[in-house]
PDB file of all heavy atoms in Angstrom:
ATOM      1  N   ASN A 341       5.761  -9.273  12.239  1.00  0.00           N
ATOM      2  CA  ASN A 341       6.521  -8.698  11.142  1.00  0.00           C
ATOM      3  C   ASN A 341       7.824  -8.066  11.621  1.00  0.00           C
ATOM      4  O   ASN A 341       7.998  -7.705  12.821  1.00  0.00           O
ATOM      5  CB  ASN A 341       5.715  -7.613  10.448  1.00  0.00           C
ATOM      6  CG  ASN A 341       4.607  -8.227   9.636  1.00  0.00           C
ATOM      7  OD1 ASN A 341       3.411  -8.090   9.949  1.00  0.00           O
ATOM      8  ND2 ASN A 341       4.963  -9.003   8.549  1.00  0.00           N
ATOM      9  N   LEU A 343       9.135  -5.265  10.870  1.00  0.00           N
ATOM     10  CA  LEU A 343       9.139  -3.825  11.112  1.00  0.00           C
ATOM     11  C   LEU A 343       8.017  -3.496  12.096  1.00  0.00           C
ATOM     12  O   LEU A 343       7.036  -4.232  12.198  1.00  0.00           O
ATOM     13  CB  LEU A 343       8.845  -3.044   9.790  1.00  0.00           C
ATOM     14  CG  LEU A 343       9.827  -3.273   8.671  1.00  0.00           C
ATOM     15  CD1 LEU A 343       9.476  -2.342   7.495  1.00  0.00           C
ATOM     16  CD2 LEU A 343      11.247  -3.067   9.061  1.00  0.00           C
ATOM     17  N   SER A 344       8.235  -2.452  12.887  1.00  0.00           N
ATOM     18  CA  SER A 344       7.227  -2.096  13.936  1.00  0.00           C
ATOM     19  C   SER A 344       6.185  -1.163  13.328  1.00  0.00           C
ATOM     20  O   SER A 344       5.137  -1.047  13.912  1.00  0.00           O
ATOM     21  CB  SER A 344       7.980  -1.396  15.068  1.00  0.00           C
ATOM     22  OG  SER A 344       8.590  -0.258  14.707  1.00  0.00           O
ATOM     23  N   ILE A 345       6.453  -0.558  12.170  1.00  0.00           N
ATOM     24  CA  ILE A 345       5.481   0.311  11.581  1.00  0.00           C
ATOM     25  C   ILE A 345       4.990  -0.374  10.293  1.00  0.00           C
ATOM     26  O   ILE A 345       5.803  -0.824   9.472  1.00  0.00           O
ATOM     27  CB  ILE A 345       6.079   1.682  11.180  1.00  0.00           C
ATOM     28  CG1 ILE A 345       6.750   2.358  12.365  1.00  0.00           C
ATOM     29  CG2 ILE A 345       5.026   2.620  10.600  1.00  0.00           C
ATOM     30  CD1 ILE A 345       7.477   3.663  12.038  1.00  0.00           C
ATOM     31  N   THR A 346       3.709  -0.479  10.164  1.00  0.00           N
ATOM     32  CA  THR A 346       3.166  -1.113   8.940  1.00  0.00           C
ATOM     33  C   THR A 346       2.807  -0.082   7.888  1.00  0.00           C
ATOM     34  O   THR A 346       2.603   1.088   8.199  1.00  0.00           O
ATOM     35  CB  THR A 346       1.926  -1.954   9.217  1.00  0.00           C
ATOM     36  OG1 THR A 346       0.898  -1.037   9.646  1.00  0.00           O
ATOM     37  CG2 THR A 346       2.150  -3.029  10.304  1.00  0.00           C
ATOM     38  N   ARG A 347       2.733  -0.505   6.630  1.00  0.00           N
ATOM     39  CA  ARG A 347       2.408   0.460   5.599  1.00  0.00           C
ATOM     40  C   ARG A 347       0.989   1.037   5.823  1.00  0.00           C
ATOM     41  O   ARG A 347       0.757   2.210   5.545  1.00  0.00           O
ATOM     42  CB  ARG A 347       2.414  -0.320   4.209  1.00  0.00           C
ATOM     43  CG  ARG A 347       3.760  -0.681   3.782  1.00  0.00           C
ATOM     44  CD  ARG A 347       3.737  -1.762   2.708  1.00  0.00           C
ATOM     45  NE  ARG A 347       3.218  -3.030   3.250  1.00  0.00           N
ATOM     46  CZ  ARG A 347       2.973  -4.127   2.562  1.00  0.00           C
ATOM     47  NH1 ARG A 347       3.166  -4.140   1.205  1.00  0.00           N
ATOM     48  NH2 ARG A 347       2.560  -5.168   3.135  1.00  0.00           N
ATOM     49  N   GLU A 348       0.157   0.154   6.268  1.00  0.00           N
ATOM     50  CA  GLU A 348      -1.273   0.537   6.508  1.00  0.00           C
ATOM     51  C   GLU A 348      -1.370   1.656   7.553  1.00  0.00           C
ATOM     52  O   GLU A 348      -2.097   2.638   7.405  1.00  0.00           O
ATOM     53  CB  GLU A 348      -2.033  -0.664   6.999  1.00  0.00           C
ATOM     54  CG  GLU A 348      -3.502  -0.446   7.311  1.00  0.00           C
ATOM     55  CD  GLU A 348      -4.359  -0.059   6.178  1.00  0.00           C
ATOM     56  OE1 GLU A 348      -3.965  -0.501   5.004  1.00  0.00           O
ATOM     57  OE2 GLU A 348      -5.385   0.559   6.359  1.00  0.00           O
ATOM     58  N   ASP A 349      -0.579   1.517   8.637  1.00  0.00           N
ATOM     59  CA  ASP A 349      -0.707   2.439   9.712  1.00  0.00           C
ATOM     60  C   ASP A 349      -0.054   3.840   9.453  1.00  0.00           C
ATOM     61  O   ASP A 349      -0.582   4.845   9.789  1.00  0.00           O
ATOM     62  CB  ASP A 349      -0.036   1.904  11.023  1.00  0.00           C
ATOM     63  CG  ASP A 349      -0.866   0.747  11.604  1.00  0.00           C
ATOM     64  OD1 ASP A 349      -1.994   0.632  11.192  1.00  0.00           O
ATOM     65  OD2 ASP A 349      -0.354   0.071  12.472  1.00  0.00           O
ATOM     66  N   ASP A 350       1.107   3.806   8.806  1.00  0.00           N
ATOM     67  CA  ASP A 350       1.849   5.048   8.623  1.00  0.00           C
ATOM     68  C   ASP A 350       2.851   4.889   7.538  1.00  0.00           C
ATOM     69  O   ASP A 350       4.007   4.465   7.708  1.00  0.00           O
ATOM     70  CB  ASP A 350       2.558   5.415  10.025  1.00  0.00           C
ATOM     71  CG  ASP A 350       3.501   6.579   9.845  1.00  0.00           C
ATOM     72  OD1 ASP A 350       3.470   7.271   8.825  1.00  0.00           O
ATOM     73  OD2 ASP A 350       4.220   6.823  10.829  1.00  0.00           O
ATOM     74  N   PHE A 351       2.400   5.158   6.311  1.00  0.00           N
ATOM     75  CA  PHE A 351       3.217   4.856   5.140  1.00  0.00           C
ATOM     76  C   PHE A 351       4.551   5.674   5.165  1.00  0.00           C
ATOM     77  O   PHE A 351       5.589   5.094   4.851  1.00  0.00           O
ATOM     78  CB  PHE A 351       2.448   5.174   3.848  1.00  0.00           C
ATOM     79  CG  PHE A 351       3.057   4.496   2.641  1.00  0.00           C
ATOM     80  CD1 PHE A 351       2.798   3.155   2.361  1.00  0.00           C
ATOM     81  CD2 PHE A 351       3.816   5.239   1.779  1.00  0.00           C
ATOM     82  CE1 PHE A 351       3.358   2.529   1.282  1.00  0.00           C
ATOM     83  CE2 PHE A 351       4.387   4.589   0.636  1.00  0.00           C
ATOM     84  CZ  PHE A 351       4.136   3.264   0.412  1.00  0.00           C
ATOM     85  N   ALA A 352       4.483   6.904   5.554  1.00  0.00           N
ATOM     86  CA  ALA A 352       5.695   7.715   5.535  1.00  0.00           C
ATOM     87  C   ALA A 352       6.671   7.159   6.560  1.00  0.00           C
ATOM     88  O   ALA A 352       7.851   7.083   6.318  1.00  0.00           O
ATOM     89  CB  ALA A 352       5.372   9.173   5.840  1.00  0.00           C
ATOM     90  N   GLY A 353       6.167   6.825   7.762  1.00  0.00           N
ATOM     91  CA  GLY A 353       7.022   6.240   8.796  1.00  0.00           C
ATOM     92  C   GLY A 353       7.592   4.953   8.356  1.00  0.00           C
ATOM     93  O   GLY A 353       8.725   4.582   8.674  1.00  0.00           O
ATOM     94  N   TRP A 354       6.701   4.090   7.764  1.00  0.00           N
ATOM     95  CA  TRP A 354       7.208   2.804   7.282  1.00  0.00           C
ATOM     96  C   TRP A 354       8.300   2.961   6.295  1.00  0.00           C
ATOM     97  O   TRP A 354       9.320   2.287   6.324  1.00  0.00           O
ATOM     98  CB  TRP A 354       5.971   2.100   6.615  1.00  0.00           C
ATOM     99  CG  TRP A 354       6.360   0.913   5.779  1.00  0.00           C
ATOM    100  CD1 TRP A 354       6.635  -0.378   6.248  1.00  0.00           C
ATOM    101  CD2 TRP A 354       6.658   0.875   4.393  1.00  0.00           C
ATOM    102  NE1 TRP A 354       6.991  -1.196   5.137  1.00  0.00           N
ATOM    103  CE2 TRP A 354       7.015  -0.461   4.033  1.00  0.00           C
ATOM    104  CE3 TRP A 354       6.610   1.816   3.376  1.00  0.00           C
ATOM    105  CZ2 TRP A 354       7.347  -0.785   2.741  1.00  0.00           C
ATOM    106  CZ3 TRP A 354       6.923   1.490   2.072  1.00  0.00           C
ATOM    107  CH2 TRP A 354       7.300   0.147   1.729  1.00  0.00           C
ATOM    108  N   TYR A 355       8.215   3.898   5.398  1.00  0.00           N
ATOM    109  CA  TYR A 355       9.208   4.180   4.375  1.00  0.00           C
ATOM    110  C   TYR A 355      10.577   4.453   5.018  1.00  0.00           C
ATOM    111  O   TYR A 355      11.590   3.886   4.644  1.00  0.00           O
ATOM    112  CB  TYR A 355       8.741   5.338   3.463  1.00  0.00           C
ATOM    113  CG  TYR A 355       9.761   5.703   2.373  1.00  0.00           C
ATOM    114  CD1 TYR A 355       9.969   4.895   1.239  1.00  0.00           C
ATOM    115  CD2 TYR A 355      10.522   6.907   2.567  1.00  0.00           C
ATOM    116  CE1 TYR A 355      10.896   5.280   0.316  1.00  0.00           C
ATOM    117  CE2 TYR A 355      11.473   7.278   1.540  1.00  0.00           C
ATOM    118  CZ  TYR A 355      11.652   6.462   0.441  1.00  0.00           C
ATOM    119  OH  TYR A 355      12.586   6.785  -0.504  1.00  0.00           O
ATOM    120  N   GLN A 357      11.477   3.665   7.987  1.00  0.00           N
ATOM    121  CA  GLN A 357      11.972   2.552   8.783  1.00  0.00           C
ATOM    122  C   GLN A 357      12.552   1.474   7.831  1.00  0.00           C
ATOM    123  O   GLN A 357      13.563   0.833   8.191  1.00  0.00           O
ATOM    124  CB  GLN A 357      10.794   1.879   9.577  1.00  0.00           C
ATOM    125  CG  GLN A 357      11.313   0.961  10.637  1.00  0.00           C
ATOM    126  CD  GLN A 357      10.230   0.417  11.527  1.00  0.00           C
ATOM    127  OE1 GLN A 357       9.090   0.273  11.189  1.00  0.00           O
ATOM    128  NE2 GLN A 357      10.605   0.166  12.790  1.00  0.00           N
ATOM    129  N   VAL A 358      11.996   1.271   6.669  1.00  0.00           N
ATOM    130  CA  VAL A 358      12.542   0.329   5.691  1.00  0.00           C
ATOM    131  C   VAL A 358      13.985   0.782   5.378  1.00  0.00           C
ATOM    132  O   VAL A 358      14.936  -0.022   5.382  1.00  0.00           O
ATOM    133  CB  VAL A 358      11.773   0.260   4.423  1.00  0.00           C
ATOM    134  CG1 VAL A 358      12.469  -0.563   3.379  1.00  0.00           C
ATOM    135  CG2 VAL A 358      10.397  -0.328   4.670  1.00  0.00           C
ATOM    136  N   ASP A 624       7.580  -4.435   1.851  1.00  0.00           N
ATOM    137  CA  ASP A 624       6.413  -4.886   2.633  1.00  0.00           C
ATOM    138  C   ASP A 624       6.664  -4.742   4.104  1.00  0.00           C
ATOM    139  O   ASP A 624       7.621  -4.077   4.483  1.00  0.00           O
ATOM    140  CB  ASP A 624       6.058  -6.370   2.268  1.00  0.00           C
ATOM    141  CG  ASP A 624       7.122  -7.359   2.671  1.00  0.00           C
ATOM    142  OD1 ASP A 624       8.023  -6.968   3.464  1.00  0.00           O
ATOM    143  OD2 ASP A 624       7.127  -8.492   2.234  1.00  0.00           O
ATOM    144  N   ASP A 625       5.801  -5.280   4.964  1.00  0.00           N
ATOM    145  CA  ASP A 625       5.911  -4.997   6.365  1.00  0.00           C
ATOM    146  C   ASP A 625       7.074  -5.691   7.026  1.00  0.00           C
ATOM    147  O   ASP A 625       7.322  -5.524   8.242  1.00  0.00           O
ATOM    148  CB  ASP A 625       4.570  -5.257   7.086  1.00  0.00           C
ATOM    149  CG  ASP A 625       3.453  -4.367   6.625  1.00  0.00           C
ATOM    150  OD1 ASP A 625       3.775  -3.272   6.138  1.00  0.00           O
ATOM    151  OD2 ASP A 625       2.316  -4.702   6.807  1.00  0.00           O
ATOM    152  N   ASP A 626       7.822  -6.478   6.236  1.00  0.00           N
ATOM    153  CA  ASP A 626       9.064  -7.051   6.748  1.00  0.00           C
ATOM    154  C   ASP A 626      10.316  -6.358   6.139  1.00  0.00           C
ATOM    155  O   ASP A 626      11.399  -6.831   6.314  1.00  0.00           O
ATOM    156  CB  ASP A 626       9.113  -8.518   6.420  1.00  0.00           C
ATOM    157  CG  ASP A 626       8.017  -9.260   7.217  1.00  0.00           C
ATOM    158  OD1 ASP A 626       8.151  -9.343   8.428  1.00  0.00           O
ATOM    159  OD2 ASP A 626       7.086  -9.756   6.624  1.00  0.00           O
ATOM    160  N   LYS A 785      -8.092   5.426   1.718  1.00  0.00           N
ATOM    161  CA  LYS A 785      -6.697   5.885   2.070  1.00  0.00           C
ATOM    162  C   LYS A 785      -5.810   6.026   0.885  1.00  0.00           C
ATOM    163  O   LYS A 785      -5.047   6.960   0.711  1.00  0.00           O
ATOM    164  CB  LYS A 785      -6.111   4.848   3.061  1.00  0.00           C
ATOM    165  CG  LYS A 785      -5.113   5.455   3.988  1.00  0.00           C
ATOM    166  CD  LYS A 785      -4.771   4.500   5.144  1.00  0.00           C
ATOM    167  CE  LYS A 785      -3.804   5.163   6.045  1.00  0.00           C
ATOM    168  NZ  LYS A 785      -3.445   4.296   7.188  1.00  0.00           N
ATOM    169  N   TYR A 786      -5.903   5.070  -0.040  1.00  0.00           N
ATOM    170  CA  TYR A 786      -5.031   5.112  -1.241  1.00  0.00           C
ATOM    171  C   TYR A 786      -5.858   5.140  -2.504  1.00  0.00           C
ATOM    172  O   TYR A 786      -6.052   4.099  -3.123  1.00  0.00           O
ATOM    173  CB  TYR A 786      -4.137   3.878  -1.256  1.00  0.00           C
ATOM    174  CG  TYR A 786      -3.294   3.711   0.087  1.00  0.00           C
ATOM    175  CD1 TYR A 786      -3.213   2.495   0.676  1.00  0.00           C
ATOM    176  CD2 TYR A 786      -2.676   4.808   0.643  1.00  0.00           C
ATOM    177  CE1 TYR A 786      -2.479   2.360   1.839  1.00  0.00           C
ATOM    178  CE2 TYR A 786      -1.949   4.691   1.762  1.00  0.00           C
ATOM    179  CZ  TYR A 786      -1.878   3.448   2.446  1.00  0.00           C
ATOM    180  OH  TYR A 786      -1.148   3.305   3.591  1.00  0.00           O
TER     181      TYR A 786
END
Side-chain angles (χ1 to χ4, degrees):
Chain A
N341 289 110
L343 302 185
S344 61
I345 306 175
T346 64
R347 291 163 292 176
E348 177 68 26
D349 288 346
D350 174 10
F351 197 80
W354 166 84
Y355 177 74
Q357 195 174 31
V358 173
D624 65 15
D625 293 339
D626 293 294
K785 211 164 180 180
Y786 306 134

